[in-house]
Amino acid sequence: MQIEWINLMPELMIFGVAIVVLLGELYLSANAKRILGVVSLLGILAALFSLTSLYGVEATEFMDMFSIDLTATVLKGILLATTALVVLATLRSRMTIGEGEFFSMMLFSVLGTMFMASANDLIMLFIALELTVLPAYILVGSKKTAGSAEAALKYFLLGLVASVILLYGMSLVYGLTGQTNFTAIANALAGQAIEPLLLVGMVMIVVGLGFKVAAVPFHFWAPDVYEGAPVPVASFLAVGPKAGGFAALIHFFPVALAVAAPIWAGLFAILAVLSMLLGNLAALAQTQVRRLLGYSAVAHTGYLLVGLAVADSFGYTALIFYFLVYSLAALGSFLVILATTERGLGENVTDFAGLFKRAPMLAFAMAIFLFSLVGIPPFAGFMGKVYLFGAAVRSDLIWLAVIGVLNSVVSFGYYVTVIRQMYLVNPTTDDAVTVSKPLYLSIVLIMAAVVFLGVYPSAFLSIINL
Amino acid sequence: MNYLSLIVLLPVLSFILLIVFGKKLGDKAAHLSIAAVGAAFGLSVKALLDAMGGAHADLSFTWLTIGNLKLTFGLLLDPLAAMMLVVVTFVSLLVQLFSVGYMHGDKRYGWFYACLSMFTASMLLLVFSSNFVQMYMAWEGVGLFSYLLVGFWFEKRSASDAAKKAFMVTRVGDLGFGIGLIILFITAGTLDMSQVFAMKFAPETASLIAILFFFGAIGKSAQFPLHVWLPDAMEGPTPVSALIHAATMVAAGVYLVARAYPLFEQGPAAMEFVAIIGTITAFMAATIALTATDIKKILAYSTVSQLGYMMMGLGVGAFAAGTFHLMNHAFFKALLFLGAGSVIHAVHSQEIFDMGGLSRKMKITSLTFVIGGLALAGIPPFSGFWSKDEILLGAFESGHTAIFAIGLLTALFTAFYTFRLIFVVFFGKPRGHHGDHVHESPAVMAVPLMLLAALALTSGLLGSPFMGNAYQSFILGGHGGTEHHINYLVMGLSIGVAVLGIFGAWLKYSTNLLPSNVMSKNNIIYQLLVNKYYIDEIYEYTLVKPTHAIARYVLTFDQRVIDGAVNGVAWVISRIGGGLKYLQTGYAQNYALVMVISVVVLIIWSFRAIQLF
């Protein structure tokens, strides 16, 4: 077995840095530990750099268990870039656990997600998925408060149930085909009638992965976790593990289960509609900002699933683009919350009153992120929705596009309450809210990206060949 | 040719920096903005030299692809664009220099320069556009930033009203432009300029699209009947008027017609329409200027009138003459506006009959103003003469005799109102109570005046026989320069009426030779002119008041019926949202149960779905 290690370079780098940072936590003095964040950041940037050399490479490693293609590479790029922004933003944050632990757990989770994006085999997929979520459980529970612990426990228990369902589904598929490799599964199923048992297995895999991306009705953990986890962790969860879930979805179903495409596409359409409706309606009733964003995340999972319901390459590329656009805006809004909570502001919507006067830049950034989440031009969210719903219309799923657009309109209702508070309500105090430099830089970078992608989406779309 | 994009990007960069650091920079805000526009000017000159060397650039890249629809974004450099680039950056540079003195101490100094930068950037993008969508976007950008600049002193009610009026009125024209774009896209399948201009259209189609485009130009270039916004827009700071209302934005409409000229030429009806509207505007605005007494309003009506001349020239087929007048006018009218600014700065009044004898106290201002006035009146060798003469010649030779005659009469009025202004403001005895504290403006204001005066003196020579009609052969480029000859009849008439106009103004306002009851104020014509043909009043009673009435009615309807319905829906939705909250019980075992039930339901669904396939 000949392994082209160069193709695994980004993964190896992340692995190396994660180990180094973990060891640093053990052996360094409290003061010296401060550099661990910088080390992590440099490691991620180096991995991102080595990833660029894989652009356009198509290869498989580890006896076809690990595949490198354009989709995987682009998703890893998005993941590494957003994670770098999270690390940059949290460089000066007060941690609930040691820096080394925090950053290494994040890096291990990223590593798992990268393997998920490249998984071409059921076993590889399952292991990668567990590697993604186990550090996430730890991170969610890292604050020693009841809320944090409750969220972590719920996330862990429900995650366990989901993993069990997923594993059962996988074993059914394996039992029917005798294969674990995606392509081999597809070959074994080709030209045969669809067995009822295959459908059972398929639904279970949909459910297992649906849990990871917080699709309704497997979303229950999301609001609790987004609300209960420490803010830096919640920012990371908004981008990291979710990327893995979608990577697995667009790798597994179109390849391995191509024969049953109309059925799983229908399943995803159902989940998309449920997620959009429930996410947006429940968000309307929220008064806590992070919980509101948690439900908004559920609604956005619904939008993203439209790309899978379309079930063609245009839909998948639109999904990837929307994922990038969404994760930037979601990450950005979490970082604004990070900035305000670090200065002792509360997390209720009303705590944002008059933020415009106390921190004009933060309020402006938040408004842009929320506008992008609604999908108002010229911000990236608008272009993302144009392509996503455009893909649905192209495949004659006009009803799905209409539901999506109507939901976007409803979502304006709750995002605008935050903007209203920031701009139109007077603050209780005029104290300026200061922001640490790295966090500020990170927010500005995201803001620039959100505007740039909204004005010139072709910059990214040409990378994924749309 | 990559430096071309820098011409647009430099002012954008300056805008961003000023928005972020404007407060910290304080007075240095101006330096940043001036440096950016200065560099853009340098690059524009390079672009002009390259264009004179025969360079023709079309840098486009795909901006968006949605299915088959491909939108490009790009810069197009040809003689026309190169000429406009230099005019826009040069006038913007001088206006920004002048403003250092004029706006000194204003509390929103940084914001002022930020707006000027972004206005310049939008204008440059408009000039540079290689396709109509981009041009339309820049066109709207120009409108937006001029709105902010005209309403700069928004605490003043009249200023914010004027800004609103300018924005609304030009929007009426833009609607036509937008519809024209849609029709063009449906018929041509593209909005890329070089592709559109290479196409053949049926005369009716070309006329329709061209006339719709021209509606946009009517709004932006303040042509009859949408000219009403421009005089009101004089509420903005005077340097803004010099930039927006003399050299750049109002010229955008003329530029649009010139840019889309291949399209206009295919529609004879559209050409006639442009010529007629231009002539009406030129004549009407010149007559109104005869009776106006506010120095800036006189210049504003004069601008409207001169823009009418340009349209007249383009409409009768004198492409080179129309654009030539655009360039000359940009320089001498910016000069006149800045001169007026200098006067207002000294006297703190805009009423010309509050002034008088200023030439003794303000030597530079009055000398440069007179040069600008001579250019406007059309006295050789000042710039306005050469281009106005060309326009009249174009009308004469293409057989538009009526247009030629009205144009000549308008030239008489132009000379008269210009020198009425000059004699009243700069000569004779001081009036009002500005007394002794009148002083010449500081150097930072005087230098731009002198530079512009030099151009008002010389820029016309570029298109004169003395320099072999260099401008005409450059702007017509490969289109085969027309044979130029001098028509002494037209030239003689045009000089004659200008001299006559100046002489009349001298008689009336500088001597006591005329009995005072000549031009009495009680006749109908005077009342008609002083009330600006009652066009504002006509709009007020036919459009504004009825609209307000309808709006009030709709508002009540909205509050009682629609709001009620919307609130009802919102109530129901928030009830549903509130209800959904109870799904989230908080118990992990409940959640797990829901998951398992969902698995079962989804399996049953997929079993049923398989029957369908």
Side-chain angles (χ1 to χ4, degrees):
Chain A
M1 185 175 70
Q2 183 68 34
I3 296 177
E4 288 286 339
W5 290 105
I6 190 86
N7 289 343
L8 293 162
M9 213 50 198
E11 283 82 2
L12 291 173
M13 282 178 166
I14 295 293
F15 179 65
V17 176
I19 298 285
V20 166
V21 171
L22 191 60
L23 289 176
E25 170 69 24
L26 283 176
Y27 295 110
L28 290 180
S29 69
N31 252 343
K33 277 183 202 166
R34 285 162 182 271
I35 64 153
L36 291 176
V38 180
V39 171
S40 312
L41 182 59
L42 292 177
I44 295 171
L45 292 179
L48 194 55
F49 182 72
S50 71
L51 189 70
T52 54
S53 68
L54 293 180
Y55 179 66
V57 174
E58 302 261 342
T60 56
E61 299 294 341
F62 300 135
M63 303 166 76
D64 286 354
M65 288 177 97
F66 184 94
S67 78
I68 293 162
D69 57 20
L70 187 64
T71 318
T73 308
V74 170
L75 276 168
K76 286 179 200 171
I78 296 175
L79 176 74
L80 289 177
T82 45
T83 310
L85 289 165
V86 175
V87 174
L88 175 65
T90 50
L91 278 182
R92 296 274 171 80
S93 294
R94 222 170 334 130
M95 295 295 167
T96 43
I97 47 172
E99 276 92 346
E101 283 179 87
F102 177 78
F103 289 121
S104 64
M105 286 304 126
M106 203 146 90
L107 288 169
F108 279 124
S109 180
V110 167
L111 183 63
T113 311
M114 290 170 84
F115 274 101
M116 265 175 106
S118 275
N120 196 34
D121 186 287
L122 289 175
I123 293 171
M124 172 67 92
L125 179 62
F126 186 75
I127 293 170
L129 192 136
E130 290 303 299
L131 179 58
T132 304
V133 289
L134 280 171
Y137 299 147
I138 296 171
L139 286 172
V140 170
S142 66
K143 197 161 75 177
K144 310 284 183 293
T145 63
S148 175
E150 186 192 334
L153 193 63
K154 254 184 220 168
Y155 190 23
F156 174 65
L157 287 174
L158 293 171
L160 222 51
V161 175
S163 291
V164 167
I165 294 175
L166 175 67
L167 208 48
Y168 193 23
M170 286 177 171
S171 65
L172 286 176
V173 172
Y174 172 69
L176 283 169
T177 59
Q179 301 290 345
T180 56
N181 185 284
F182 293 174
T183 350
I185 293 171
N187 289 337
L189 290 174
Q192 297 193 6
I194 298 170
E195 299 253 357
L197 216 49
L198 180 71
L199 292 182
V200 177
M202 184 180 80
V203 168
M204 288 181 154
I205 295 175
V206 169
V207 171
L209 293 174
F211 174 85
K212 306 299 172 193
V213 297
V216 174
F218 326 108
H219 66 286
F220 298 103
W221 59 273
D224 288 337
V225 164
Y226 282 123
E227 183 189 359
V231 191
V233 175
S235 323
F236 172 65
L237 290 181
V239 292
K242 210 168 177 171
F246 278 105
L249 285 173
I250 53 180
H251 255 124
F252 177 70
F253 287 95
V255 177
L257 294 183
V259 279
I263 301 174
W264 55 255
L267 280 174
F268 286 123
I270 295 174
L271 296 187
V273 172
L274 288 177
S275 305
M276 286 190 275
L277 283 176
L278 191 130
N280 281 320
L281 291 179
L284 277 175
Q286 301 305 321
T287 55
Q288 210 267 10
V289 181
R290 280 210 270 156
R291 212 170 166 79
L292 186 150
L293 287 177
Y295 278 109
S296 141
V298 171
H300 277 88
T301 295
Y303 299 134
L304 287 161
L305 287 173
V306 170
L308 277 154
V310 170
D312 63 11
S313 62
F314 195 93
Y316 306 139
T317 9
L319 188 159
I320 294 173
F321 180 51
Y322 195 75
F323 184 79
L324 169 66
V325 162
Y326 159 73
S327 55
L328 284 173
L331 176 59
S333 41
F334 268 108
L335 293 185
V336 172
I337 296 173
L338 178 64
T340 53
T341 49
E342 280 190 348
R343 289 291 171 272
L345 269 75
E347 294 183 8
N348 284 323
V349 175
T350 46
D351 292 320
F352 280 73
L355 187 67
F356 169 62
K357 291 203 177 111
R358 304 180 60 187
M361 195 62 194
L362 282 184
F364 183 61
M366 188 72 162
I368 285 186
F369 298 144
L370 296 181
F371 278 138
S372 183
L373 287 174
V374 184
I376 291 176
F379 305 113
F382 172 72
M383 281 298 170
K385 281 186 175 157
V386 166
Y387 280 98
L388 202 52
F389 298 147
V393 171
R394 223 170 138 260
S395 304
D396 291 329
L397 289 171
I398 296 169
W399 62 274
L400 197 54
V402 170
I403 293 180
V405 172
L406 287 179
N407 265 284
S408 306
V409 175
V410 171
S411 74
F412 188 66
Y414 55 88
Y415 292 122
V416 85
T417 55
V418 181
I419 296 174
R420 204 182 77 83
Q421 286 287 338
M422 292 191 304
Y423 277 88
L424 298 179
V425 179
N426 281 321
T428 44
T429 152
D430 279 341
D431 300 346
V433 179
T434 54
V435 187
S436 75
K437 287 231 169 63
L439 179 52
Y440 189 80
L441 177 63
S442 185
I443 290 174
V444 169
L445 285 174
I446 297 173
M447 201 160 63
V450 166
V451 174
F452 177 71
L453 286 174
V455 177
Y456 186 44
S458 304
F460 179 77
L461 292 170
S462 62
I463 295 178
I464 46 174
N465 293 337
L466 186 69
Chain B
M1 300 295 270
N2 281 326
Y3 70 90
L4 290 179
S5 48
L6 274 182
I7 297 178
V8 180
L9 290 177
L10 281 168
V12 175
L13 185 70
S14 143
F15 169 74
I16 293 171
L17 290 175
L18 286 174
I19 284 293
V20 179
F21 302 110
K23 280 206 180 116
K24 278 188 201 156
L25 281 170
D27 279 2
K28 294 199 187 69
H31 302 181
L32 179 69
S33 180
I34 289 169
V37 75
F41 170 62
L43 292 172
S44 300
V45 171
K46 179 167 160 52
L48 180 67
L49 294 175
D50 283 352
M52 282 159 80
H56 187 100
D58 189 348
L59 310 170
S60 297
F61 61 94
T62 305
W63 174 52
L64 256 188
T65 326
I66 303 176
N68 296 327
L69 174 63
K70 198 175 229 174
L71 289 179
T72 55
F73 210 81
L75 306 178
L76 175 76
L77 181 73
D78 64 353
L80 182 65
M83 182 274 286
M84 266 312 263
L85 282 181
V86 173
V87 171
V88 170
T89 48
F90 182 65
V91 176
S92 180
L93 175 63
L94 293 189
V95 163
Q96 298 200 10
L97 273 175
F98 185 87
S99 304
V100 172
Y102 195 87
M103 300 300 288
H104 186 75
D106 196 282
K107 61 179 187 285
R108 285 190 298 266
Y109 197 70
W111 173 237
F112 180 75
Y113 273 97
C115 284
L116 276 185
S117 287
M118 201 56 201
F119 174 83
T120 308
S122 314
M123 191 65 207
L124 290 170
L125 191 65
L126 191 162
V127 169
F128 245 157
S129 296
S130 66
N131 70 76
F132 285 108
V133 182
Q134 185 188 343
M135 189 171 182
Y136 190 73
M137 285 165 57
W139 180 272
E140 294 297 330
V142 166
L144 174 66
F145 284 94
S146 80
Y147 167 75
L148 294 173
L149 283 166
V150 170
F152 183 71
W153 287 317
F154 56 77
E155 294 90 346
K156 224 166 63 177
R157 179 69 197 269
S158 56
S160 61
D161 278 354
K164 203 160 55 184
K165 184 170 173 184
F167 198 69
M168 298 298 287
V169 172
T170 49
R171 208 90 305 80
V172 176
D174 292 357
L175 184 67
F177 187 9
I179 297 171
L181 281 181
I182 294 169
I183 296 180
L184 176 62
F185 184 72
I186 292 169
T187 40
T190 175
L191 291 171
D192 190 87
M193 287 185 187
S194 36
Q195 288 177 28
V196 168
F197 296 156
M199 286 179 188
K200 285 298 272 177
F201 294 90
E204 298 79 24
T205 323
S207 290
L208 175 67
I209 296 170
I211 288 176
L212 285 167
F213 275 24
F214 185 59
F215 283 154
I218 289 179
K220 271 279 189 295
S221 286
Q223 298 292 292
F224 173 80
L226 295 181
H227 63 281
V228 289
W229 65 267
L230 185 58
D232 287 27
M234 295 298 124
E235 290 291 343
T238 305
V240 165
S241 305
L243 177 64
I244 297 182
H245 306 129
T248 54
M249 187 179 88
V250 290
V254 180
Y255 185 75
L256 172 64
V257 176
R259 182 85 284 180
Y261 213 60
L263 201 61
F264 278 81
E265 281 180 319
Q266 294 185 40
M271 293 288 274
E272 286 302 310
F273 187 65
V274 172
I276 292 169
I277 291 288
T279 310
I280 295 176
T281 311
F283 178 78
M284 206 183 64
T287 53
I288 298 175
L290 291 174
T291 59
T293 58
D294 177 314
I295 185 168
K296 284 184 74 182
K297 294 232 161 136
I298 296 175
L299 292 178
Y301 279 110
S302 157
T303 305
V304 173
S305 170
Q306 297 301 309
L307 290 164
Y309 264 118
M310 297 170 208
M311 292 295 189
M312 184 200 293
L314 292 174
V316 298
F319 175 78
T323 58
F324 188 34
H325 199 52
L326 167 63
M327 179 180 86
N328 290 337
H329 175 260
F331 294 137
F332 70 69
K333 191 52 71 62
L335 166 63
L336 291 173
F337 266 113
L338 291 184
S342 180
V343 168
I344 295 166
H345 196 64
V347 183
H348 301 292
S349 168
Q350 303 195 6
E351 275 297 308
I352 57 171
F353 290 106
D354 283 354
M355 308 165 184
L358 292 180
S359 63
R360 262 159 272 150
K361 298 272 175 57
M362 307 177 73
K363 291 232 159 47
I364 297 172
T365 303
S366 50
L367 181 64
T368 52
F369 201 97
V370 169
I371 292 175
L374 287 167
L376 173 58
I379 298 293
F382 299 93
S383 64
F385 165 74
W386 301 106
S387 43
K388 196 189 288 182
D389 185 57
E390 287 259 312
I391 292 173
L392 293 175
L393 182 67
F396 184 75
E397 294 199 326
S398 60
H400 293 83
T401 320
I403 289 180
F404 171 71
I406 299 174
L408 213 50
L409 187 59
T410 306
L412 173 72
F413 293 153
T414 307
F416 184 85
Y417 70 69
T418 310
F419 276 82
R420 164 179 179 257
L421 171 63
I422 289 174
F423 287 131
V424 170
V425 172
F426 293 102
F427 299 98
K429 293 200 180 65
R431 295 179 204 83
H433 29 261
H434 50 82
D436 295 333
H437 53 261
V438 171
H439 52 86
E440 184 56 271
S441 298
V444 71
M445 290 165 80
V447 169
L449 291 178
M450 291 190 279
L451 286 172
L452 284 168
L455 276 173
L457 195 58
T458 56
S459 73
L461 296 174
L462 292 173
S464 71
F466 302 118
M467 290 182 69
N469 298 100
Y471 174 84
Q472 284 85 341
S473 38
F474 168 63
I475 206 80
L476 293 171
H479 307 293
T482 45
E483 195 59 31
H484 267 273
H485 59 94
I486 303 167
N487 185 327
Y488 289 103
L489 173 69
V490 172
M491 198 180 267
L493 281 173
S494 130
I495 297 172
V497 294
V499 172
L500 193 64
I502 297 174
F503 181 68
W506 179 74
L507 272 183
K508 171 81 175 107
Y509 294 100
S510 209
T511 69
N512 294 321
L513 296 174
L514 285 185
S516 57
N517 60 356
V518 169
M519 289 188 260
S520 126
K521 299 195 175 177
N522 291 328
N523 63 51
I524 296 174
I525 294 177
Y526 187 87
Q527 288 305 320
L528 188 64
L529 295 184
V530 97
N531 285 301
K532 300 163 272 180
Y533 295 90
Y534 296 97
I535 291 174
D536 272 308
E537 284 73 12
I538 293 171
Y539 284 150
E540 181 73 20
Y541 285 100
T542 58
L543 292 174
V544 181
K545 289 231 160 114
T547 311
H548 274 245
I550 294 171
R552 261 194 303 279
Y553 175 74
V554 171
L555 183 68
T556 19
F557 181 76
D558 181 56
Q559 279 166 349
R560 304 248 168 88
V561 184
I562 299 184
D563 248 23
V566 170
N567 287 340
V569 172
W571 184 81
V572 171
I573 287 180
S574 66
R575 268 308 158 106
I576 296 173
L580 285 174
K581 270 202 305 200
Y582 298 109
L583 273 180
Q584 198 85 16
T585 56
Y587 292 109
Q589 57 270 45
N590 291 359
Y591 298 162
L593 187 64
V594 174
M595 277 168 70
V596 173
I597 293 172
S598 309
V599 173
V600 176
V601 172
L602 289 176
I603 289 173
I604 294 171
W605 180 86
S606 56
F607 279 1
R608 290 179 58 90
I610 193 92
Q611 316 292 326
L612 301 173
F613 296 109

